[in-house]
Amino acid sequence: MPTIKYIEFNGTEHEVDVMSGTTVMQAALDNMIEGIVGECGGSCVCSTCHCMVDPAWTHITGEVNSEENDLLDIVDEREETSRLSCQIKVTDEMDGLVVRLPESQY
Amino acid sequence: MANVENCVIIGASHAAVQLMISLRQLGWRGSITVISDDPNMPYHKPPLSKAYLSGETTDEQLALRAAPVYEKLDVTFKLGETVAKIDRDGKSVVLASGEQISYAKLALCTGARVRPLPAPGTNLAGVHYLRTMDDVKGIKKSMETSKNAVIIGGGYIGLETAASLKKLGINVTVLEAEARLLQRVATEQVSSFFRRLHEEEGVEILRNTQASKLVGSEKLEKVFCSDGREIKADLAIIGIGVIPNTELAENAGLETDNGILVDEFAKTSDPDIVAAGDCTNHPSKIAGKNIRLESVPNATEQAKAAAASICGTPKEYNELPWFWSDQFDVKLQIAGLNEGYTDTVVRGDIENGRSFSVFYLKNDKLIAADCVNNLKDFMFTKKLILQDQVIDKAALSDETVELKSLLT
């Protein structure tokens, strides 16, 4: 089971075991990690599950898709490696993945 | 356990799950008991008519939270159980089984139920409503052998269902009692767009007519319409709206009026009872009056306020309402409430295209927008509405002007 590390804006770290096949967003909700809201439940319509993927992992988490890109465009704190975590499906290869969370999802 | 305070939550959907999580986050140390007549563990409702119906989403993916979450939250579930009454004097709820559960705090997340179709034949095999996971399991079973479906009701649920079935190769006819689709919730322009979309995709839309009789020997065979038409069908799905579940509250003497009446802190007329989600009628500063909403963002945000009230740290619920719907390749997002609009502005090609926005203005201020395949417009619209300032209409309609530039 892959392990994902979430780092909140204030530096708090959460290392959690995650089932392959779920999303980085759902795994955060399932572990009650504050900082991911997921208002739309992962339908890619709200941009409240924004995270920044550690640069060492972007080749594994893949590219931003076009709908996701539109939503990220309006996020205040968008960075080079910003993603919507509902669009990252967890695979075995992602064992050790590190994502940082923004100060606010609104 | 006897002296541990118990919070009882009636209902186990979006509002209930957010409420239990928020309770623990805010430090509720008592026990939490969740009672629901739905036998399934909490699941996402919006995909039911979309990805779950079409088979893209599995049962596991439909779960609102993974099972271990509820263990961590230390929640006791009583699923498949009906609450018979609330005894406010004795501070307990009584189940249909006779079991009595006492509460220190009570949260009503009772949701809404489908409006029944007033026509004979709705008990036939092949005739379904669509509200719960089990409803959709039933539909999927019927779908295995069906070729011709009639969707009764041209609202969001009906249209989403029509799109899901059509994509799976089933012939679909939609019956709408009113003169246009989405009559209650959308403006004429947007209704016309959805009619065009469905017709382009091969769905037959019949307006100004309703199902007067469903007929078959054991299984549905035909739908008779009020205009005399007869439609051959082996599957019918009824989506003609919902009714808020207020009876428990009403019988307990709580104030109700098209929903359980709550204040901006999600409190009912009883200080120990809160309510959240589709079942509530609540004040909205943005709308300038009391409203009842049927939406997930409303359920979760109001549930946070309800949990805060229970924990004695009140937090006002005053969010901008928003909604979404997926049909074929179209993603509709609605920001705000357009009621009382005095003017509309269209941005993009609503006549022929599948990507545009319709803005609703009141006294030259933006109050709402319907955005079709236009995620960016939608996100900026939310900000522009909250800005609450007179807006440049020419700029709104001009696609070369970025909405971002209108933010002050």
Side-chain angles (χ1 to χ4, degrees):
Chain A
M1 212 188 280
T3 300
I4 298 181
K5 188 194 278 185
Y6 297 82
I7 307 175
E8 286 183 50
F9 187 76
N10 65 12
T12 310
E13 296 188 359
H14 307 265
E15 251 185 274
V16 299
D17 295 331
V18 172
M19 295 272 275
S20 291
T22 187
T23 63
V24 173
M25 177 207 77
Q26 188 66 39
L29 296 182
D30 287 346
N31 288 281
M32 284 175 282
I33 293 169
E34 289 190 59
I36 292 282
V37 179
E39 219 173 45
C40 75
S43 306
C44 199
V45 287
C46 77
S47 87
T48 60
C49 65
H50 174 210
C51 71
M52 283 76 82
V53 176
D54 184 284
W57 290 90
T58 49
H59 65 291
I60 299 204
T61 51
E63 299 280 314
V64 173
N65 66 51
S66 84
E67 285 182 340
E68 185 185 353
N69 190 44
D70 282 348
L71 286 170
L72 282 168
D73 256 358
I74 87 115
V75 165
D76 290 332
E77 305 159 284
R78 182 168 189 176
E79 293 181 14
E80 188 95 353
T81 68
S82 282
R83 293 292 309 269
L84 293 182
S85 55
C86 70
Q87 299 300 301
I88 307 175
K89 204 172 198 182
V90 178
T91 62
D92 290 342
E93 277 179 304
M94 291 184 198
D95 187 21
L97 173 67
V98 178
V99 298
R100 284 181 303 112
L101 307 180
E103 185 171 15
S104 162
Q105 294 286 355
Y106 294 99
Chain B
M1 283 296 284
N3 48 14
V4 172
E5 293 208 315
N6 190 21
C7 177
V8 170
I9 303 175
I10 305 178
S13 192
H14 292 269
V17 169
Q18 183 60 53
L19 205 137
M20 60 180 90
I21 290 169
S22 295
L23 279 178
R24 291 301 184 209
Q25 284 172 340
L26 294 169
W28 175 261
R29 297 214 178 146
S31 53
I32 300 175
T33 307
V34 177
I35 309 162
S36 170
D37 50 11
D38 193 315
N40 298 294
M41 285 300 279
Y43 52 86
H44 288 281
K45 285 258 166 78
L48 289 179
S49 52
K50 311 175 191 111
Y52 185 64
L53 178 58
S54 62
E56 294 154 49
T57 293
T58 63
D59 284 17
E60 289 71 36
Q61 288 168 330
L62 200 66
L64 257 176
R65 294 292 187 276
V69 173
Y70 304 111
E71 271 169 50
K72 267 185 252 172
L73 290 169
D74 192 17
V75 172
T76 306
F77 280 94
K78 290 189 166 289
L79 300 178
E81 299 262 16
T82 307
V83 176
K85 72 170 203 163
I86 300 165
D87 173 7
R88 282 168 62 198
D89 295 331
K91 293 189 82 173
S92 69
V93 298
V94 182
L95 305 188
S97 64
E99 188 184 347
Q100 199 164 328
I101 301 168
S102 56
Y103 66 80
K105 302 285 179 185
L106 176 64
L108 305 174
C109 304
T110 49
R113 63 179 178 276
V114 293
R115 184 180 294 282
L117 179 73
T122 53
N123 292 329
L124 286 167
V127 181
H128 301 270
Y129 288 89
L130 197 163
R131 179 75 185 170
T132 66
M133 188 174 177
D134 288 346
D135 287 342
V136 179
K137 285 190 170 156
I139 294 172
K140 283 168 135 176
K141 187 125 193 44
S142 291
M143 262 161 48
E144 288 166 11
T145 55
S146 61
K147 293 190 180 69
N148 299 298
V150 171
I151 310 294
I152 300 169
Y156 286 119
I157 289 291
L159 294 180
E160 288 170 2
T161 304
S164 300
L165 295 183
K166 187 71 199 173
K167 279 196 286 192
L168 294 171
I170 296 172
N171 293 321
V172 182
T173 305
V174 175
L175 302 184
E176 170 53 54
E178 305 288 343
R180 55 186 180 82
L181 299 172
L182 301 166
Q183 174 118 340
R184 192 172 58 91
V185 287
T187 55
E188 188 141 17
Q189 286 168 301
V190 175
S191 291
S192 304
F193 165 73
F194 278 100
R195 184 175 150 207
R196 172 167 69 80
L197 169 70
H198 279 263
E199 288 179 347
E200 283 173 2
E201 296 287 345
V203 172
E204 185 164 12
I205 308 273
L206 303 177
R207 294 167 296 144
N208 294 308
T209 187
Q210 44 194 325
S212 51
K213 193 163 59 167
L214 308 176
V215 176
S217 51
E218 272 169 40
K219 215 181 156 305
L220 176 71
E221 288 163 22
K222 231 180 224 183
V223 176
F224 286 77
C225 304
S226 56
D227 62 359
R229 227 185 283 247
E230 295 174 19
I231 306 168
K232 215 179 114 191
D234 39 28
L235 175 64
I237 298 164
I238 304 163
I240 54 170
V242 294
I243 302 168
N245 292 321
T246 58
E247 288 77 2
L248 278 176
E250 228 171 287
N251 294 339
L254 296 174
E255 288 173 36
T256 63
D257 177 17
N258 177 33
I260 302 164
L261 281 177
V262 294
D263 63 11
E264 63 272 41
F265 302 104
K267 282 156 90 169
T268 66
S269 44
D270 181 326
D272 289 320
I273 306 180
V274 296
D278 288 13
C279 65
T280 70
N281 191 315
H282 60 271
S284 161
K285 275 191 191 149
I286 289 157
K289 61 172 192 173
N290 259 52
I291 54 175
R292 190 177 71 77
L293 297 173
E294 294 160 11
S295 87
V296 170
N298 171 62
T300 51
E301 291 307 309
Q302 198 176 27
K304 290 178 190 171
S309 285
I310 288 176
C311 295
T313 52
K315 171 182 168 281
E316 189 182 358
Y317 166 57
N318 185 38
E319 302 288 325
L320 180 73
W322 71 278
F323 313 86
W324 80 91
S325 177
D326 295 327
Q327 299 166 37
F328 300 108
D329 61 350
V330 162
K331 202 166 242 191
L332 165 72
Q333 288 159 295
I334 301 168
L337 301 167
N338 67 16
E339 203 186 302
Y341 70 91
T342 50
D343 209 353
T344 61
V345 172
V346 178
R347 180 181 173 94
D349 185 1
I350 190 171
E351 300 298 328
N352 309 295
R354 288 192 182 185
S355 169
F356 60 86
S357 298
V358 180
F359 298 99
Y360 301 94
L361 291 85
K362 188 177 182 178
N363 306 326
D364 297 319
K365 286 180 180 174
L366 189 61
I367 57 166
D370 296 331
C371 303
V372 167
N373 286 337
N374 225 328
L375 295 163
K376 225 188 255 188
D377 276 8
F378 169 72
M379 298 305 289
F380 284 119
T381 298
K382 283 169 102 178
K383 296 194 173 184
L384 285 169
I385 294 171
L386 294 172
Q387 196 170 284
D388 194 31
Q389 282 173 10
V390 169
I391 202 148
D392 179 353
K393 281 195 261 181
L396 265 189
S397 67
D398 184 348
E399 285 185 280
T400 64
V401 176
E402 287 224 31
L403 290 187
K404 195 178 191 169
S405 69
L406 303 178
L407 285 169
T408 51

